[in-house]
Amino acid sequence: MTTSPTHLALLILALLAVFLLALLAAVTAGLLARWDGASAPAALLRAGIAFGGALTLLIAVLALVAGTLT
């Protein structure tokens, strides 16, 4: 099965959007943790957990949508 360049470009853009949303969630979680009085390592740990969770959830939703459309 061959994919058209348009489908590949849309997939790359969707993955970039997912990555940026997960990064935004991580930055927000880290800043909120720091604002709440957590130390810098604890805030980074919470940001990493938020990034991993958001990325996992968004990739799963992207796979579901891609599977539905094909």
Side-chain angles (χ1 to χ4, degrees), residues 14-43:
L15 288 173
L16 181 64
V18 162
F19 179 78
L20 289 176
L21 281 172
L23 189 62
L24 180 65
V27 168
T28 303
L31 287 175
L32 286 174
R34 192 71 173 131
W35 191 29
D36 194 33
S39 64

Side-chain angles (χ1 to χ4, degrees), residues 5-61:
T6 305
H7 285 100
L8 187 60
L10 286 174
L11 178 64
I12 291 172
L13 284 174
L15 288 173
L16 181 64
V18 162
F19 179 78
L20 289 176
L21 281 172
L23 189 62
L24 180 65
V27 168
T28 303
L31 287 175
L32 286 174
R34 192 71 173 131
W35 191 29
D36 194 33
S39 64
L44 284 174
L45 182 63
R46 290 181 192 171
I49 292 170
F51 179 78
L55 190 62
T56 301
L57 179 66
L58 291 170
I59 290 291
V61 169

